[in-house]
Amino acid sequence: MQREQASPPERMERAMNVAVDMQKQLSPAQEIAADLMRRARAAQQVFAEADQARTDEAVRAIAWSLYKPEHARELAELAVEDTGLGNVPDKIIKKTRKTFGTLRDLLRVKTVGEIERDDKRGIVKFAKPIGVVGAVTPSTNPGATPVNKAMMAIKGRNAIIVAPSPLGYRTTAKAVEYMRESLAQIGLPEDLVQILPSPVTKDTTQALMEAVDLVVVTGSQDNVRRAYSSGTPAIGVGAGNVPVIIDETANLDDAARKICASKIFDNATSCSSENSVVIVDAVYDKAIEALKRAGGYLVDPSKKQTVIDELWKNGKLNRHLIARDMSVLAKGFGLYDEAAKSKFLMVEETGIGKGYPLSGEKLALVLTVYRARDFKDAKATINRILNFQGRGHSMGLHTTNMARAKELAEDLSVVRVLINFAHTFGNGGGFDSGLEFTLTMGCGSWQKNSISENLNYKHFLNITHLVTPIPEDKPSEEALFGPHWQKYGK
């Protein structure tokens, strides 16, 4: 007997009633999460019936809510005003570039109904929504990251609830407001996108992570660990600490320009920003001069300890100096006017590890410089840096020797090896990079992450496999065990 299908309003009412029952005897934090979930479930069950055209219409609307010039500028200004991190022009570029690129990627793929067919194997794949996504977002990108995640979630016909960094709450709340307005404009439920109410606490974020169907975390490693222990399927990312090599075959001025552009973008807030450069001895002096021409200022060795003492306070990065303009850094480090007029600082270092903080991630316009005897030594230095911090994330190489690129990709424990790129612009997807546009980069098991690729639409889908009979594919015992028998006997 064919089961009678409930209408969208009936499904919404049922979902709301179930959620109301679940709210009984909950903690205050759980009640907040349950109320958001009730509304998200109701909205998502309606949206789950959307076809591909309607789904893509929603993705475009979400994208335009941030890409719209006046919105991009307003949110960039608000982010800098609230967090003090980065700068307005680059945040505008980041918002528009990432949104544009992500929209390009999403509109090229199918996420409704049949999405893949393999007649030879007798398998057809059908995409289904995951349900409700919980997105934990950072203070470094309080506008761009929530929208980026929402676009991917909506592409999968999911609802999303954002748990923002308290520092960037106003920016994220405004971004969510614009996304909700964009959904209402095209006749979809606003509750497909929601935000935790202020004040956001660890308890409310934890309650949300436990209530949703998938957690996606960008930000602190504490939140990543909490997500993985929440009992909910989770995608978290690791810490960055990108090192790059300049070898003797590189175009030095090209490498220097790219490193500068990447390092200074949004005042080095990106996890993909270069933190160290390892230069082979044969071109060390010439490479330093090229970096100076590009805008770098080489800090006198006598000032190195001052940089360390001021950039780290009580073992933690100094919030008053990270992601700040060069004028602020130069003053904070007691450097000369020449440094204030530069674009970034270079500090020479030889040590790596806990006792050498410059070998770690800095989130500041400070680039650590190492000298290596040759490429073999440079590779070893990179490996030591990554084993201290950033293993699994990414590294770069400026070279014309592609055999070395292959060697690094084969041997180093990183997800991404970028060759001759401005790292920030290639690592999270670029128009001259085949990586998916994203603001969330997996680091694999090396940082206890569940993905070893850029977060993309596939991570927001459930897949149903339709399996039909095929001609028997059963090889003989000889074909499978023959080599073992020949070498070791039966």
Side-chain angles (χ1 to χ4, degrees):
M1 179 184 249
Q2 187 174 10
R3 188 174 61 182
E4 182 180 348
Q5 295 293 313
S7 66
E10 290 172 332
R11 288 198 302 275
M12 182 181 291
E13 184 178 356
R14 291 176 188 174
M16 292 173 71
N17 289 337
V18 169
V20 167
D21 290 340
M22 291 173 61
Q23 281 187 283
K24 296 175 181 177
Q25 298 181 347
L26 301 178
S27 70
Q30 289 173 324
E31 286 182 358
I32 290 171
D35 179 62
L36 292 168
M37 284 296 295
R38 174 182 62 81
R39 291 187 278 148
R41 285 261 185 255
Q44 191 275 324
Q45 287 196 8
V46 173
F47 186 48
E49 303 299 322
D51 61 15
Q52 190 67 69
R54 181 64 161 156
T55 300
D56 289 347
E57 184 178 35
V59 175
R60 280 193 180 94
I62 293 289
W64 180 244
S65 75
L66 179 62
Y67 192 84
K68 192 173 184 178
E70 53 265 43
H71 289 179
R73 172 165 290 281
E74 177 189 3
L75 291 170
E77 291 173 347
L78 194 58
V80 173
E81 180 183 326
D82 283 355
T83 69
L85 304 174
N87 62 76
V88 171
D90 286 350
K91 285 196 180 296
I92 293 173
I93 293 172
K94 181 183 293 185
K95 286 171 172 55
T96 54
R97 180 177 174 274
K98 288 288 187 181
T99 302
F100 190 90
T102 302
L103 183 62
R104 181 204 69 176
D105 291 349
L106 294 180
L107 293 180
R108 288 177 175 177
V109 295
K110 199 167 184 290
T111 56
V112 178
E114 180 183 323
I115 60 169
E116 187 178 329
R117 177 180 291 267
D118 187 338
D119 292 330
K120 185 176 180 180
R121 296 175 63 210
I123 293 177
V124 184
K125 296 181 182 179
F126 295 83
K128 308 286 178 63
I130 280 178
V132 180
V133 176
V136 182
T137 60
S139 60
T140 48
N141 294 310
T145 300
V147 176
N148 188 263
K149 283 185 168 67
M151 290 171 67
M152 295 181 190
I154 293 297
K155 180 70 179 184
R157 293 177 294 164
N158 304 293
I160 185 169
I161 303 170
V162 182
S165 161
L167 190 62
Y169 189 90
R170 277 205 312 162
T171 306
T172 305
K174 179 58 72 171
V176 168
E177 177 186 326
Y178 285 143
M179 286 190 280
R180 287 170 63 86
E181 288 176 357
S182 74
L183 291 169
Q185 183 183 40
I186 64 171
L188 284 174
E190 294 179 341
D191 286 338
L192 286 171
V193 179
Q194 297 181 80
I195 185 173
L196 274 179
S198 182
V200 176
T201 65
K202 288 191 174 183
D203 286 343
T204 55
T205 300
Q206 185 69 33
L208 179 67
M209 291 193 291
E210 292 172 359
V212 296
D213 302 307
L214 172 70
V215 184
V216 183
V217 183
T218 308
S220 76
Q221 293 305 291
D222 178 59
N223 278 332
V224 172
R225 288 188 289 271
R226 285 170 171 266
Y228 280 128
S229 62
S230 67
T232 300
I235 298 173
V237 296
N241 183 32
V242 174
V244 299
I245 295 173
I246 299 177
D247 77 7
E248 73 278 7
T249 75
N251 180 324
L252 298 182
D253 281 314
D254 180 68
R257 284 192 297 269
K258 288 175 178 176
I259 290 170
C260 174
S262 175
K263 180 64 186 175
I264 68 174
F265 185 73
D266 203 23
N267 290 355
T269 57
S270 171
C271 64
S272 294
S273 174
E274 289 88 340
N275 273 276
S276 300
V277 59
V278 182
I279 307 171
V280 299
D281 186 68
V283 293
Y284 186 86
D285 293 333
K286 290 181 179 179
I288 292 294
E289 289 306 311
L291 287 164
K292 287 180 179 179
R293 287 194 295 273
Y297 175 88
L298 186 62
V299 175
D300 188 275
S302 65
K303 286 286 189 178
K304 173 182 168 183
Q305 193 58 48
T306 300
V307 171
I308 294 172
D309 291 342
E310 293 302 320
L311 191 52
W312 284 271
K313 294 292 185 183
N314 300 317
K316 294 184 178 180
L317 284 167
N318 183 350
R319 180 162 288 280
H320 299 293
L321 292 180
I322 63 172
R324 305 289 174 163
D325 294 340
M326 262 309 311
S327 58
V328 176
L329 279 187
K331 183 178 179 180
F333 297 149
L335 298 176
Y336 303 109
D337 291 342
E338 185 182 349
K341 295 175 183 177
S342 69
K343 295 180 179 179
F344 65 99
L345 303 177
M346 298 182 287
V347 185
E348 293 175 301
E349 179 61 279
T350 56
I352 298 169
K354 196 170 183 180
Y356 304 91
L358 286 169
S359 63
E361 187 175 36
K362 291 166 278 294
L363 294 175
L365 297 174
V366 178
L367 181 69
T368 308
V369 183
Y370 292 89
R371 183 193 292 258
R373 293 186 300 276
D374 49 26
F375 177 74
K376 181 180 178 181
D377 187 39
K379 176 183 170 184
T381 301
I382 290 284
N383 202 37
R384 289 168 58 210
I385 292 171
L386 291 170
N387 283 334
F388 167 57
Q389 190 182 78
R391 188 166 177 251
H393 197 283
S394 55
M395 62 84 55
L397 169 65
H398 292 273
T399 187
T400 56
N401 186 339
M402 289 303 108
R404 289 177 171 175
K406 182 173 182 290
E407 179 182 338
L408 293 175
E410 286 180 336
D411 294 349
L412 294 184
S413 300
V414 290
V415 170
R416 291 155 290 263
V417 176
L418 272 62
I419 307 303
N420 299 325
F421 272 99
H423 209 278
T424 295
F425 303 121
N427 210 36
F431 299 108
D432 59 350
S433 160
L435 293 172
E436 296 91 348
F437 272 90
T438 193
L439 282 155
T440 304
M441 283 151 280
C443 299
S445 63
W446 294 300
Q447 289 203 45
K448 298 188 182 300
N449 295 171
S450 59
I451 62 172
S452 55
E453 60 183 334
N454 286 3
L455 183 78
N456 62 79
Y457 77 97
K458 292 179 290 185
H459 301 115
F460 294 84
L461 297 173
N462 281 319
I463 305 295
T464 296
H465 295 68
L466 173 63
V467 186
T468 55
I470 59 173
E472 187 176 68
D473 180 16
K474 183 180 180 182
S476 66
E477 288 183 341
E478 178 65 32
L480 296 183
F481 292 106
H484 180 82
W485 291 342
Q486 292 171 17
K487 191 170 183 178
Y488 301 105
K490 291 189 178 181

